[in-house]
Amino acid sequence: MSKFNATRIRPAVTSPVTTTAPATNAHGRPGHVRDERSELFLLGVALRDVSKDTFYERADARVDRFCVLVRGLAVNDPVWLTDFLRWLRADGNLRTAPLVAAAEFAAARRGVPDPEQLVATVVDAVLQRADEPGELVGYWTGRYGKAMPKGMKKGIARAVIRLYDEYSLSKYDGVGLGYRFAHILDLVHPDRKVYGEVLDPPSDFDGSPDGWLATATERKRALFGYAHAEARGRRAEIPAELGMLRARAELTALPVEERRAVLTGPGGIDRLRAAGMTWEAVAGWLHGSMDAEAWSAVIPIMGYGALLKNLRNFDDASVPDEAAERVAARLADPARVAKSRLFPFNFYGAHKAVGSLRWGAALEKALQASLGNVPSLPGRTLVVVDQSPSMLPGYPFSSKQQHTHITNADLAKLFGSAVALRAADATMAGYGNTSYGVDFRRGDALLRVMERFHSVDGTDTFGAVAAHFKAHDRVLIVTDEQYNGGRYHSIDQIVPRDVPVYTWNIGGYRVGANASGAGTRHTVGGLTDHAFRLVALLEAGRNAAWPWQVTQVG
């Protein structure tokens, strides 16, 4: 009888999230802790709202745990942490967590030699929007005082040269801010060398930097000078180089009663674009309600995210079908979805927020486009989706107004349903203390499948797997990994070791339910489709690396 040459041979593979030792979870049940990098990764991708308590962890304790992990790795593994934070802000598309981490990174490395300028690199990388330098300085000052490391100042200096322009000055340099653009510029004093490091040469660059760099630097300095004058309350004349601000000033000078005619008249949209007017700016500029006529006029200058956020407003204003069709076409365009860098839950949130049916098809197409890396798993797949109280309302995923109705339970059923619908032969179940099957057919609309879940009290993860596992080829569990009952205390009691088990962690808690890192037991995390790619790699017999690293053949 053959011991090794069997029909069900799986290559030995590894994944980056690694457990290290037994531990107990929030309910005293057996679980596993992870190494520092794994814990920080799962926590970081789940830390979208640093001010919000979760079911098992207060917000301040959660942030403190995040900061302790960052400070430790900033000294012990700064290169990995640098790559992680760069990815977290870019592909991960998070804002607050990377800002906090950059400040803690700089704090931990005070007094540590930094020949590779890692602090400046991290700070520059996480600052991707013009209001973020002020946010970072505000956090640092409140936590560590006014004295700031040189590397942090240099990173901010690089960022403000990239980010501060006429449009961002109009949009983000608010009067009520503690740190306006001028205050940040006074703090970091960007010099000519930094301008040369950051600014890109024009397409007809002839090899001599003096001409284009001097011109570009002069334009920036004109902008910065005007920002200083504005912050000090001086009514300075707008320099000739700042055409957008001059155009905006002309629009602002128009009598209120003439503005709607400009908005809806010939060339009005071109004037608004030239002035860098957002829809929010237009709404305030009109000094009136945004009715159907105003929305229809301003839709062409609205960005993708703004369109998605305002679908309910379009309905409430009775925007005509012709304008709505143009919006729907833009929303459903896969290229625009990819460029927007929005998460799948953004589209589900918009679906839950709208009151009409006319956006349904477009949102379904956009959601499917945002899930482009969902693998088509062969064989038989069991998907179990946590719908317990810790995943449900009362502990919302985000406190931002447009996402308060999105819970971890919603995220779980979204990702679980996406995998099940693409799999060749899938069984799907929702669970709490008990479990139930979720019926679907391949080709069903994802948004409709998600409506077939309901909440259940308690959490018996392993019991749910045991109830539905019938010699499947793999198991996918979407959960916060905190369970509180049942006869089983390990996935190995239910699923043979030669069957892969993928735990999709949504909670980011310290203790997980399942082992991970090698063989057939793996944990993935995050709200991007990185986790989908990781599962596909492991299924193909390849080692899966961190999302910013090159994947190695297993």
Side-chain angles (χ1 to χ4, degrees), residues 159-312:
V160 298
I161 294 173
R162 279 191 295 106
L163 300 172
Y164 286 3
D165 56 22
E166 295 176 73
Y167 177 83
S168 63
L169 181 69
S170 300
K171 184 171 183 177
Y172 294 117
D173 193 31
V175 174
L177 295 174
Y179 290 96
R180 298 189 62 181
F181 282 23
H183 303 140
I184 303 300
L185 292 166
D186 287 340
L187 177 68
V188 300
H189 296 296
D191 56 26
R192 180 180 173 82
K193 181 181 178 182
V194 179
Y195 281 88
E197 292 174 350
V198 174
L199 297 177
D200 293 324
S203 57
D204 58 351
F205 174 50
D206 61 3
S208 174
D210 293 338
W212 74 263
L213 183 57
T215 300
T217 300
E218 198 56 41
R219 287 182 59 84
K220 285 289 184 180
R221 286 177 174 165
L223 175 73
F224 295 166
Y226 182 71
H228 276 103
E230 282 286 290
R232 288 166 174 75
R234 299 200 299 266
R235 297 180 61 84
E237 181 178 350
I238 303 175
E241 300 96 325
L242 307 182
M244 180 178 287
L245 290 178
R246 293 173 73 91
R248 195 182 188 97
E250 291 176 4
L251 287 176
T252 304
L254 288 172
V256 172
E257 60 271 16
E258 297 179 12
R259 295 178 182 180
R260 180 172 286 268
V262 171
L263 172 65
T264 59
I269 290 299
D270 291 336
R271 289 189 67 181
L272 293 175
R273 283 199 180 100
M277 296 281 280
T278 63
W279 74 267
E280 297 100 329
V282 170
W285 175 70
L286 285 177
H287 282 224
S289 62
M290 289 291 288
D291 55 18
E293 181 185 49
W295 279 120
S296 297
V298 82
I299 279 172
I301 66 169
M302 294 176 69
Y304 190 96
L307 292 174
L308 190 67
K309 186 169 65 173
N310 281 288
L311 296 180
R312 183 63 177 265

Side-chain angles (χ1 to χ4, degrees), residues 358-383:
R358 62 178 172 176
W359 311 111
L363 290 174
E364 176 72 25
K365 290 178 180 178
L367 179 56
Q368 293 289 356
S370 73
L371 294 167
N373 282 310
V374 178
S376 298
L377 297 174
R380 301 182 64 241
T381 303
L382 172 62
V383 181

Side-chain angles (χ1 to χ4, degrees), residues 2 21 32 41 161 190 195 209 219 249 262 331 334 345 350 358 417-418 432 452 463 507 526 539:
S2 174
H32 305 265
F41 176 80
I161 294 173
Y195 281 88
R219 287 182 59 84
V262 171
L331 292 179
F345 70 79
R358 62 178 172 176
S417 299
R452 297 167 191 166
E539 285 286 317

Side-chain angles (χ1 to χ4, degrees), residues 212-476:
W212 74 263
L213 183 57
T215 300
T217 300
E218 198 56 41
R219 287 182 59 84
K220 285 289 184 180
R221 286 177 174 165
L223 175 73
F224 295 166
Y226 182 71
H228 276 103
E230 282 286 290
R232 288 166 174 75
R234 299 200 299 266
R235 297 180 61 84
E237 181 178 350
I238 303 175
E241 300 96 325
L242 307 182
M244 180 178 287
L245 290 178
R246 293 173 73 91
R248 195 182 188 97
E250 291 176 4
L251 287 176
T252 304
L254 288 172
V256 172
E257 60 271 16
E258 297 179 12
R259 295 178 182 180
R260 180 172 286 268
V262 171
L263 172 65
T264 59
I269 290 299
D270 291 336
R271 289 189 67 181
L272 293 175
R273 283 199 180 100
M277 296 281 280
T278 63
W279 74 267
E280 297 100 329
V282 170
W285 175 70
L286 285 177
H287 282 224
S289 62
M290 289 291 288
D291 55 18
E293 181 185 49
W295 279 120
S296 297
V298 82
I299 279 172
I301 66 169
M302 294 176 69
Y304 190 96
L307 292 174
L308 190 67
K309 186 169 65 173
N310 281 288
L311 296 180
R312 183 63 177 265
N313 288 332
F314 298 157
D315 286 341
D316 290 345
S318 299
V319 167
D321 288 341
E322 181 181 356
E325 288 170 3
R326 292 197 298 270
V327 172
R330 289 172 63 185
L331 292 179
D333 183 354
R336 294 179 186 271
V337 173
K339 187 177 180 181
S340 75
R341 297 171 59 217
L342 293 175
F343 292 107
F345 70 79
N346 292 111
F347 302 104
Y348 179 59
H351 167 73
K352 292 187 71 174
V354 296
S356 70
L357 298 177
R358 62 178 172 176
W359 311 111
L363 290 174
E364 176 72 25
K365 290 178 180 178
L367 179 56
Q368 293 289 356
S370 73
L371 294 167
N373 282 310
V374 178
S376 298
L377 297 174
R380 301 182 64 241
T381 303
L382 172 62
V383 181
V384 292
V385 180
D386 191 343
Q387 297 291 285
S388 63
S390 66
M391 306 277 285
L392 290 170
Y395 303 92
F397 175 68
S398 172
S399 64
K400 293 183 179 179
Q401 183 176 359
Q402 62 267 38
H403 301 314
T404 51
H405 51 294
I406 299 295
T407 67
N408 280 342
D410 291 326
L411 297 173
K413 61 190 181 185
L414 192 163
F415 290 117
S417 299
V419 171
L421 285 168
R422 289 289 299 277
D425 181 6
T427 305
M428 186 159 59
Y431 76 91
N433 193 46
T434 59
S435 62
Y436 55 90
V438 177
D439 294 329
F440 67 95
R441 295 179 180 179
R442 294 196 73 183
D444 281 354
L446 175 59
L447 292 171
R448 293 290 175 258
V449 174
M450 293 173 63
E451 294 173 355
R452 297 167 191 166
F453 286 87
H454 61 266
S455 62
V456 181
D457 197 17
T459 314
D460 184 6
T461 302
F462 300 131
V465 175
H468 298 274
F469 181 76
K470 300 291 187 293
H472 289 84
D473 296 301
R474 69 192 57 79
V475 177
L476 176 70

